Amino acid sequence: VIRCRAAVAWAVGKPLSVEEVEVAPPKAGEVRIKIVATGICRTDDHILEGCFPNVVFPVIPGHEGAGIVESVGEGVTSVKPGDKVIPLCLPQCGECSFCLNPESNYCLKSHVSEPQNLLPDKTSRFTCKGKQIHHFLWVSTFAEYTVIPEYAVAKIDAAAPLDKVCLLGCGFPTGYGAAINTAEVKPGSTCAVFGIGGVGLSVVMGCKAAGASRIIAVDINKDKFAKAKELGATECISPGDFKKPIQEVLTEITGHGVDYSFEVIGHADTMTAALASCNMNTGVCVMVGVPASGSVISIDPMLLLSGRTWKGTLLGDWKMRDCIPKLVSSYLEKKFNSDLLITHTLPIAKVNEGFELLRTGK
């Protein structure tokens, strides 16, 4: 058993509490990882607000990390102690019908099909003050050590800087892949990105990499515009500057609407606005933002009957165990610069300050 620090969420609406926790050794098919760095993703905030489904408290959040294998359980062959790895919040068991489908990146072991609050044997590896602490998406990267099933771990290049590539665990591949894989943005096309936080900026980078000629960033926080332009946005607009709905503004300035639109906020009203802002016949709208549990969207069916395509994306449509190591290699080859997404670096003791920075759009 390893004793270490972890940021524990004891209840909904309470700040995280940095505690000493005990982390049990890995059982068969499991890997214990020393987490070196973790990003804070909006999804972690959704847990604290109580609007992420099926989470059981107390829980150790965090799902965007990178670390080093400390030990492995019986039967583990794909990683060994000392390997650099990224834990995967979307597993790839390699055996279910979705994993066997080359066009799918979903896995039936994922949280949407069966809760990942406990490891597959229905027990936890975390305890604190004599209480069982739950896992989050099996990864729980807000702990200095964590235990994860082998099929939710990807071995990466030994040269990768863990404090930078931790972003490749969730936020960056979700946005970048939404443009490249889900929308399949074509060269010379026009794109609109609603919401330019870390994931939205990754969408902007994906649109640029795909050769889009016009990338319009849409956000109410104008402080984000400079970074969006640095990463490839050709123009930035704020809905607050117009008297008419933003979809009408986008349709006017592009002629018939954009070729591709991306909603990276998770609000029902911006999802319908993003759909209406892409052109009525061949436009593609991708939902990237996660709405609050229980949200419902009502739309005019004519928005789709005329030919538009409305798609969702799950972690950018990457098969995670196969693709994350390749993305890390692309990062090392400087094919994209996700380092520009990093705004602050804090010690785990200041994790709540990190959430404040996230909530204030900084």
Side-chain angles (χ1 to χ4, degrees):
V1 174
I2 288 178
R3 283 183 176 74
C4 66
R5 289 178 306 168
V8 179
W10 290 102
V12 170
K14 296 272 195 301
L16 289 163
S17 176
V18 177
E19 309 274 7
E20 183 180 79
V21 298
E22 293 86 41
V23 185
K27 295 185 183 177
E30 297 174 356
V31 181
R32 185 159 63 180
I33 298 166
K34 176 184 166 69
I35 296 290
V36 173
T38 178
I40 298 178
C41 173
R42 177 64 75 179
T43 303
D44 300 310
D45 200 32
H46 290 332
I47 303 173
L48 303 182
E49 293 167 348
C51 58
F52 192 87
N54 306 330
V55 172
V56 182
F57 289 81
V59 61
I60 298 174
H63 62 285
E64 194 177 89
I68 297 165
V69 175
E70 178 270 335
S71 59
V72 299
E74 186 188 337
V76 171
T77 56
S78 62
V79 294
K80 63 185 185 305
D83 284 348
K84 285 187 178 179
V85 291
I86 288 180
L88 307 174
C89 51
L90 178 63
Q92 187 184 338
C93 74
E95 296 171 353
C96 70
S97 57
F98 283 95
C99 282
L100 293 171
N101 177 350
E103 292 181 4
S104 156
N105 77 318
Y106 186 70
C107 173
L108 285 171
K109 300 272 194 249
S110 100
H111 182 81
V112 189
S113 289
E114 51 178 70
Q116 295 170 338
N117 305 309
L118 298 169
L119 290 182
D121 72 348
K122 303 302 178 215
T123 62
S124 170
R125 301 293 164 270
F126 296 124
T127 50
C128 178
K129 299 176 180 173
K131 290 194 175 115
Q132 170 179 282
I133 307 293
H134 293 87
H135 296 250
F136 174 60
L137 301 181
W138 285 337
V139 290
S140 293
T141 58
F142 289 179
E144 291 177 319
Y145 286 84
T146 186
V147 179
I148 305 175
E150 180 183 16
Y151 47 73
V153 176
K155 180 182 173 180
I156 60 170
D157 193 310
L162 297 175
D163 60 331
K164 304 290 193 287
V165 299
C166 61
L167 302 187
L168 274 58
C170 174
F172 176 77
T174 296
Y176 194 72
I180 289 180
N181 300 331
T182 312
E184 296 180 335
V185 168
K186 292 184 178 67
S189 59
T190 302
C191 303
V193 183
F194 286 69
I196 46 172
V199 182
L201 290 171
S202 302
V203 175
V204 169
M205 292 164 80
C207 293
K208 183 183 179 184
S213 61
R214 196 171 178 189
I215 303 167
I216 306 163
V218 183
D219 204 298
I220 54 174
N221 182 350
K222 294 183 180 179
D223 292 343
K224 298 184 176 184
F225 288 178
K227 179 78 79 172
K229 286 188 169 167
E230 184 184 0
L231 289 170
T234 53
E235 58 215 279
C236 300
I237 58 176
S238 169
D241 290 345
F242 302 94
K243 290 201 165 57
K244 56 179 72 167
I246 196 67
Q247 57 265 41
E248 290 180 24
V249 175
L250 285 163
T251 302
E252 272 178 27
I253 64 175
T254 56
H256 298 285
V258 296
D259 299 307
Y260 305 95
S261 62
F262 301 85
E263 201 277 357
V264 206
I265 303 163
H267 289 170
D269 54 349
T270 41
M271 285 179 181
T272 41
L275 179 65
S277 68
C278 64
N279 91 62
M280 66 190 297
N281 183 233
T282 58
V284 175
C285 176
V286 181
M287 292 166 68
V288 190
V290 179
S293 181
S295 299
V296 174
I297 302 173
S298 59
I299 62 156
D300 176 352
M302 277 310 293
L303 285 171
L304 294 171
L305 281 167
S306 55
R308 285 183 183 88
T309 302
W310 204 7
K311 303 175 86 168
T313 187
L314 185 66
L315 275 143
D317 280 348
W318 306 99
K319 274 193 185 287
M320 295 290 275
R321 274 189 95 191
D322 294 345
C323 295
I324 294 304
K326 293 174 187 167
L327 268 180
V328 170
S329 297
S330 295
Y331 166 86
L332 292 170
E333 290 159 14
K334 298 193 163 39
K335 290 187 177 165
F336 53 80
N337 186 4
S338 49
D339 295 359
L340 293 169
L341 300 172
I342 300 170
T343 55
H344 298 75
T345 303
L346 301 165
I348 188 73
K350 293 189 175 177
V351 64
N352 288 309
E353 285 182 35
F355 277 92
E356 280 313 304
L357 290 163
L358 176 82
R359 291 169 190 139
T360 53
K362 292 177 181 165

